[in-house]
Amino acid sequence: MFAAKRLGKELVKWSLDLPDTTSADIRAIVTLLQAKQKLPPGIELVKADDFREWLVDIQVLDANPLYMNQTFRLSFLFSDSYPIEAPEVVFLKVPPAATDPANPQQQSQSQTPFAGRPIPIHPHIYSNGIICLDLLGSAGWSPVQSVESVCMSLQSMLTGNTKNERPQGDEQFCQSMGVRGPDGWSGYRGKGRGRGLRDVRFAYDDDTV
């Protein structure tokens, strides 16, 4: 599978000692990565049990008061055509709990409760976690991009933001999209399937935030 080969290479790139092969068991790769990560600062791979969805936590490393001491969770959904086709990337809202629901065994080793993951406030990020960013659209995406480069772009987008506000029409847009499920977003259902982010036509008219 095309996507599996590419994603396997991305995992190998982040490890320290794995050979450049895509045949290694993905769970073994992830176990090694969690112990010896080679990701840029402020980026942590949380879960990658398959080539369908990965969860990644990011932090803003500068002193931006909007995001100080906060960690945000991204969901990457991959199609079989990745990296030719962009992944679906959204922020996830995860409530505080005793352990991280995405990684309960690792979290249970810590005495600190899981703080939760909010959706960052930003003029290009809707309150349901959908991101208006040309890089993630079909016109702006390039196969040279990767999970790592997307995370770094989002870190940069948050770092440069000074506006504590959501996009215009946030409430109406979130209502129209509905709830995210295994068949896409529940809004505007057609032929039994939900709406996908590739069906959304964003207007990328503000590059100042």
Side-chain angles (χ1 to χ4, degrees), residues 59-75:
Q59 294 176 314
V60 177
L61 299 179
D62 75 339
N64 189 327
L66 292 176
Y67 312 115
M68 193 175 297
N69 301 321
Q70 295 188 71
T71 303
F72 307 106
R73 179 153 297 172
L74 290 164
S75 165

Side-chain angles (χ1 to χ4, degrees), residues 5 10 17 22 61 71 77 122 131 143 177 188 192:
K5 290 182 179 180
E10 290 190 36
D17 303 315
T22 59
L61 299 179
T71 303
L77 285 181
H122 190 283
I131 306 162
M177 290 300 298
Y188 297 109

Side-chain angles (χ1 to χ4, degrees), residues 54 74 128 142 197:
W54 289 6
L74 290 164
N128 58 5
S142 168
L197 291 188

Side-chain angles (χ1 to χ4, degrees), residues 18-64:
L18 276 175
D20 188 9
T21 177
T22 59
S23 62
D25 179 76
I26 188 164
R27 293 182 185 274
I29 295 175
V30 173
T31 299
L32 178 60
L33 284 172
Q34 290 173 339
K36 301 179 178 180
Q37 286 203 357
K38 201 176 180 181
L39 288 167
I43 301 175
E44 179 184 0
L45 179 65
V46 176
K47 189 174 183 180
D49 289 343
D50 52 38
F51 295 118
R52 166 64 177 164
E53 181 180 20
W54 289 6
L55 301 180
V56 182
D57 280 354
I58 66 170
Q59 294 176 314
V60 177
L61 299 179
D62 75 339
N64 189 327

Side-chain angles (χ1 to χ4, degrees), residues 129-197:
I130 292 177
I131 306 162
C132 178
L133 180 65
D134 58 352
L135 171 66
L136 301 176
S138 56
W141 176 258
S142 168
V144 302
Q145 300 291 346
S146 65
V147 173
E148 180 179 319
S149 67
V150 170
C151 289
M152 293 178 68
S153 294
L154 290 171
Q155 280 181 313
S156 177
M157 187 177 88
L158 295 176
T159 295
N161 180 43
T162 59
K163 299 179 180 179
N164 188 22
E165 60 187 43
R166 293 288 184 198
Q168 290 186 355
D170 174 68
E171 183 177 356
Q172 296 89 336
F173 175 77
C174 292
Q175 288 178 351
S176 72
M177 290 300 298
V179 179
R180 189 189 191 202
D183 291 326
W185 297 80
S186 61
Y188 297 109
R189 283 193 176 276
K191 297 183 180 180
R193 295 188 63 83
R195 187 185 192 190
L197 291 188

